[in-house]
């Protein structure tokens, strides 16, 4: 005679590092179907496009996040000089002498994911979700798979508690990220109501900054080849 084990009544919780941009909004949409509670956290570091904080507040509420915390980490602005932390530095497509874009904010994801990990500890969450991506990224070293795994290991060891840093977009290109939003029926919301633009313009943005160009290129590719891109997405989901 077999005995059926009772299902666990402990809710599955996740922390979503949420900027209100295309990537983190798409990740939030997906996470809400996978966890019982999704607690969004947005960081105010004096960023150039501060309007993203207002967008994040609206979207977290609209999409149904369990809670939404906005955390002041202005110290990062004092330490990290970047086009995203200084209005006096124009956003440029040219690389700096160190080979990185001038929109790179050194230490940003180290700080954000560490603080989100502490928040996960506090709430008893099993995962921290972030929209970083290595396939179609902007040349930021703190968006790479190896970095995320290294920090995950450090957080687990440092807090002596299981924790996963989840990166749903890590191996997706921008067209596949649009396909993921469409899979959950939220392509229009992501296209019209998120803020990815470095100049702080929601929706399609300014159309000129690197973030806008990458986003639009991916959307154009997806809309021109929906079936094929959805198939690519499904294949990566099955293998990953």
């Amino acid at each position: 005679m077999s005995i059926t084990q009772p299902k666990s009544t402990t809710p599955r919780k996740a922390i979503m590092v949420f900027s209100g941009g295309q990537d983190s909004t798409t990740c939030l949409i997906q996470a809400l179907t996978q966890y019982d509670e999704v607690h969004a956290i947005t960081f105010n570091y004096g960023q150039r496009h501060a309007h993203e904080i207002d967008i994040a507040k609206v979207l977290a509420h609209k999409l149904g996040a369990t809670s939404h915390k906005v955390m002041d980490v202005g110290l990062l602005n004092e330490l990290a000089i970047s086009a995203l932390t200084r209005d006096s530095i124009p956003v440029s497509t040219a690389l700096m002498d160190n080979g990185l874009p001038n929109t790179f904010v050194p230490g940003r994801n180290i700080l954000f994911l560490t603080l989100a990990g502490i928040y996960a500890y506090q709430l008893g969450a099993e995962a921290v979700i972030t929209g970083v991506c290595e396939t179609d990224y902007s040349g930021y070293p703190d968006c790479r798979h190896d970095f995320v795994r290294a920090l995950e290991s450090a957080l687990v060891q440092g807090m002596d508690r299981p924790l996963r840093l989840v990166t749903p977009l890590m191996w997706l290109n921008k067209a596949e990220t649009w396909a993921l939003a469409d899979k959950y029926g939220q392509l229009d919301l992501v296209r019209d109501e998120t803020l990815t633009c470095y100049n702080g313009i929601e929706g399609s943005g300014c159309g000129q900054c690197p973030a806008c160009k990458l986003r639009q290129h991916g959307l154009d590719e997806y809309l021109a080849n929906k079936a094929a891109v959805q198939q690519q997405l499904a294949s990566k989901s099955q293998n990953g």
Side-chain angles (χ1 to χ4, degrees):
M1 179 179 178
S2 63
I3 299 176
T4 302
Q5 296 293 328
K7 292 184 178 180
S8 172
T9 57
T10 303
R12 297 189 64 205
K13 302 178 184 179
I15 307 300
M16 180 72 235
V17 179
F18 188 54
S19 70
Q22 175 191 359
D23 294 341
S24 64
T25 301
T26 301
C27 289
L28 176 60
I29 289 165
Q30 182 183 57
L32 289 166
T33 71
Q34 299 174 329
Y35 296 88
D36 301 305
E37 297 181 15
V38 181
H39 299 267
I41 184 168
T42 299
F43 296 101
N44 181 353
Y45 60 99
Q47 54 267 57
R48 182 189 195 103
H49 43 300
H51 183 46
E52 71 177 21
I53 298 171
D54 300 322
I55 297 292
K57 289 177 181 177
V58 170
L59 289 175
H61 176 74
K62 183 172 185 175
L63 291 170
T66 307
S67 69
H68 182 217
K69 178 187 289 291
V70 178
M71 179 167 287
D72 183 357
V73 289
L75 178 64
L76 179 62
N77 189 285
E78 295 183 38
L79 298 174
I81 298 175
S82 161
L84 296 191
T85 61
R86 299 290 187 276
D87 290 338
S88 59
I89 302 176
V91 174
S92 172
T93 57
L95 299 181
M96 297 185 294
D97 292 342
N98 60 6
L100 298 175
N102 77 345
T103 51
F104 172 60
V105 182
R108 180 172 58 175
N109 284 339
I110 297 172
L111 178 63
F112 289 2
L113 292 174
T114 299
L115 293 174
I118 297 169
Y119 192 34
Y121 187 102
Q122 179 189 41
L123 296 185
E126 66 184 74
V128 169
I129 305 169
T130 174
V132 300
C133 168
E134 185 166 327
T135 304
D136 242 358
Y137 77 139
S138 300
Y140 301 160
D142 60 357
C143 288
R144 296 179 297 190
H145 173 78
D146 288 350
F147 157 74
V148 174
R149 297 283 73 84
L151 186 58
E152 178 185 76
S153 176
L155 290 171
V156 169
Q157 294 180 60
M159 295 191 289
D160 195 22
R161 179 183 179 277
L163 178 69
R164 293 181 297 116
L165 297 185
V166 181
T167 55
L169 310 183
M170 181 58 74
W171 306 118
L172 303 188
N173 60 38
K174 266 294 181 280
E176 291 161 348
T177 300
W178 283 110
L180 185 60
D182 202 14
K183 174 183 174 181
Y184 291 102
Q186 295 284 14
L187 186 144
D188 288 347
L189 178 143
V190 173
R191 180 185 60 201
D192 299 333
E193 300 181 36
T194 62
L195 195 162
T196 304
C197 175
Y198 287 151
N199 290 310
I201 303 172
E202 64 186 282
S204 299
C206 70
Q208 299 300 316
C209 73
C212 284
K213 289 180 178 179
L214 181 61
R215 170 181 163 126
Q216 189 61 48
H217 177 77
L219 180 59
D220 292 343
E221 182 182 346
Y222 174 61
L223 294 178
N225 306 279
K226 276 191 175 184
V229 177
Q230 284 287 354
Q231 188 173 14
Q232 293 168 13
L233 175 64
S235 175
K236 289 186 177 181
S237 298
Q238 291 169 2
N239 296 329

